[in-house]
Amino acid sequence: MNQCPVDIKEYMHEYLDGEISPEHEQILQDHLAICSDCKQDLHELEKTIALVQSMSHIKASDDFTLKVMQNLPREKKRVGIKRWFSHHPFLTAAAIFLILMSGSLFSSWGDAEQFSVTKVPNIVVENNTAIVPEGETVEGDIVVRNGDIRIEGKVDGNVTVVNGDKYLASAGEVTGKVEEINEIFSWLWYQIKNGVNSFINLLAGS
Amino acid sequence: MEEFVKSRIKQVLKGDHNAFGEIVEVYKDRIYQLCYRMLGNAHEAEDTSQEAFIRAYVNIDRFNINRKFSTWLYRIATNLCIDRIRKKKPDYFLDAEVKGTDGLNLYSQVQSKEMTPDEKVAKMELQELIQMEILNLPEKYRSAIVLKYIEELSLKEISEVLDLPIGTVKTRIHRGREVLRKQLRNI
């Protein structure tokens, strides 16, 4: 029985990993030529590797992918939306703006069933009609909803009538613009104009 | 292949749920095989490999697109297998008795210890015998051997999957080979 070099086992594994240096390989070859035990060991190791590699390949079931897809968590969708938002901040801001806008818009359109008029001094209300009496001057803008306005005096500002008519007496005078809004679309347009104006004012003011 | 998978991952990140299915198709056999060889039981292998894909999906935004996807996926699956092996250990015998025999479960291994090697060989098919010896390996050698010889990964990839230095991976493969050699020498 020969004395085996201390590192001979190590060299065998280096050889099996395909990473043996020429010097180590020489030592290994020389030793295997004279040591049948080590030769046997290496042979067994090679056989072991071949046996493990000979194992047949096994496949996942046919419905494997389907099952994975069915079990993916649903809340992921919310994560997806969040991710979309963080990737598109401008569109997100625009979307939020639109949602809030339309919310206030439709609610004000909806509950505007009742007659209402901007509270300004010197205005008289009679049977769903706002009257600016003769000789009186109203300072500021007037908005009338679901009713009419009769202007016999003077208005120092804009007059807007939603779902109603305006009667301007010959003696009446409006220094600003007079608008009548009767359709939802013009109402929408009016709101958008207002929104944009206040936005611009906000920007200009800040 | 990596390029195709990366384009699919980008789709998934954009919210395209179905693109993930194409990724599963590419890797399902490899991941299932890894789990089967690690756990030795079709039912557990199915469970664990399914879970690996679900975890990959849930954590897809943590995947570094510049790395190799298969390595990342192997890592998730290997860790799940190791967790399962560790959890299973305490009720080794109990588990086997309750479940009964399922070809290659723990119960049959307990039994087979009372047989001589010749009887073992006679009773089992060669493939089953090799699988059994792989299952008898300590889990740290088992993962290295399975990744190397069944999944055919390079040493570098294995070191990334197991998050270990290459030197440690080599040592584990060497030890695993030695244990298997002693068990399989009589075939």
Side-chain angles (χ1 to χ4, degrees), chain B residues 66-111:
Chain B
N66 301 316
R67 309 289 293 269
K68 208 171 166 189
F69 181 73
S70 60
T71 308
W72 188 67
L73 188 59
Y74 270 124
R75 185 170 180 164
I76 295 173
T78 309
N79 286 340
L80 285 173
C81 288
I82 291 172
D83 281 354
R84 205 172 255 255
I85 293 165
R86 285 182 186 158
K87 270 184 207 152
K88 183 156 86 164
K89 256 179 195 161
D91 48 335
Y92 198 85
F93 293 101
L94 188 69
D95 191 47
E97 277 167 36
V98 171
K99 275 193 183 164
T101 51
D102 187 12
L104 274 176
N105 66 5
L106 304 165
Y107 190 60
S108 64
Q109 288 173 42
V110 176
Q111 259 193 337

Side-chain angles (χ1 to χ4, degrees), chain A residues 9 13 17 19 41 44 47-49 51 54 56-58 60-61 64-65 67-69 76 83, chain B residues 13 17 25 29 33 36-37 46 49-50 57-58 127 130 149 170 174 177-178 180-181 187:
Chain A
K9 205 82 209 197
H13 284 291
D17 287 339
E19 294 189 334
D41 273 9
E44 287 172 6
K47 191 178 84 174
T48 300
I49 292 169
L51 282 172
S54 78
S56 55
H57 283 258
I58 45 173
S61 57
F64 187 92
T65 306
K67 277 197 231 158
V68 172
M69 297 308 283
K76 199 63 191 168
R83 192 185 295 130
Chain B
L13 285 168
H17 183 84
E25 273 301 309
D29 289 341
Q33 172 160 269
Y36 185 83
R37 295 305 181 200
E46 170 94 15
S49 47
Q50 290 263 337
Y57 179 80
V58 170
Q127 295 253 335
I130 302 164
Y149 290 112
K170 280 187 196 166
H174 298 176
R177 280 199 297 236
E178 283 299 333
L180 288 176
R181 177 182 73 83
I187 293 171

Side-chain angles (χ1 to χ4, degrees), chain B residues 21-65:
Chain B
E22 296 180 53
I23 299 175
V24 179
E25 273 301 309
V26 172
Y27 294 109
K28 62 173 187 176
D29 289 341
R30 276 179 267 177
I31 295 300
Y32 176 74
Q33 172 160 269
L34 168 78
C35 295
Y36 185 83
R37 295 305 181 200
M38 288 290 285
L39 301 167
N41 162 320
H43 178 71
E44 280 187 283
E46 170 94 15
D47 253 23
T48 310
S49 47
Q50 290 263 337
E51 197 185 338
F53 280 106
I54 290 166
R55 290 214 180 178
Y57 179 80
V58 170
N59 295 307
I60 196 88
D61 43 356
R62 283 199 236 157
F63 169 66
N64 179 349
I65 202 90

